[in-house]
Amino acid sequence: MAGVSGTIVQLQRQIVDYTNYLYNEEYLDGHFKILQELQNESNPDFVVETVSFCLQDFQKDLHDITTSLHQQLVDIRRVEIIAFKLKGGSSSIGAQRLLRTCVLLLDKCKQRDIEGCFSCLQQVQHEYFLVKNKFETLFKLENQLVAAGGSRQ
């Protein structure tokens, strides 16, 4: 039994260390802490479900914005609306670095700078995949904790 509790303590430490790393490297901000505070025993998967939903929606929007920018005649207003949605989605899950790139994309849309939008979109896609992988790693650690008999923070 001591081995199980030792495993739980070790996993809890890994989760804390990894989460601190995500904050220190500015992948996450205070909005993620708010999400965590909303999670409770009656909804122990709240954070995972919320982040997963947002990331899926984000991926769909990235596809839509890419398609829009590749049209012969770019509807920059549509691109701006999607960029605004991307900004809101990244903010809602506390994805700070992703949020910053979305703000840059939105600025390029407001300036009607289509080439700038392409450049910023590449940055947004890069940050999206980085933060998605970071979340997946965090959730994998949490799943290991739950499987070992612990509970999500």
Side-chain angles (χ1 to χ4, degrees):
M1 191 64 151
V4 171
S5 64
T7 300
I8 291 172
V9 169
Q10 182 182 16
L11 285 167
Q12 288 171 331
R13 189 173 304 126
Q14 283 180 305
I15 290 168
V16 167
D17 289 346
Y18 190 68
T19 304
N20 287 337
Y21 156 77
L22 294 176
Y23 283 109
N24 291 337
E25 295 297 316
E26 299 181 343
Y27 286 102
L28 300 179
D29 65 19
H31 286 96
F32 185 70
K33 287 182 183 177
I34 293 169
L35 274 182
Q36 289 178 309
E37 290 170 5
L38 294 172
Q39 184 165 285
N40 56 39
E41 289 179 17
S42 66
N43 195 358
D45 296 326
F46 177 77
V47 174
V48 172
E49 290 170 356
T50 302
V51 169
S52 296
F53 175 78
C54 284
L55 290 176
Q56 287 173 357
D57 203 37
F58 205 96
Q59 189 169 8
K60 180 192 146 316
D61 290 336
L62 280 175
H63 177 268
D64 290 349
I65 205 167
T66 301
T67 301
S68 293
L69 282 172
H70 282 92
Q71 296 299 311
Q72 182 77 21
L73 184 61
V74 175
D75 181 352
I76 196 69
R77 180 67 183 133
R78 174 169 165 65
V79 173
E80 184 178 357
I81 290 168
I82 299 168
F84 185 78
K85 187 178 174 195
L86 292 173
K87 177 184 165 228
S90 56
S91 177
S92 70
I93 59 173
Q96 184 178 24
R97 286 172 47 164
L98 181 57
L99 170 62
R100 284 197 304 254
T101 59
C102 289
V103 168
L104 293 174
L105 175 60
L106 189 55
D107 288 345
K108 294 298 179 187
C109 290
K110 289 177 181 179
Q111 296 167 10
R112 305 301 188 235
D113 179 357
I114 293 172
E115 289 303 314
C117 287
F118 273 108
S119 176
C120 286
L121 179 60
Q122 289 176 344
Q123 294 173 15
V124 169
Q125 290 169 329
H126 176 75
E127 288 299 329
Y128 165 77
F129 287 111
L130 282 176
V131 79
K132 181 177 184 261
N133 288 332
K134 301 299 182 191
F135 276 124
E136 287 171 355
T137 299
L138 177 61
F139 298 152
K140 190 178 295 184
L141 286 169
E142 289 180 351
N143 288 338
Q144 290 172 359
L145 176 64
V146 170
S151 61
R152 294 186 194 275
Q153 311 296 322

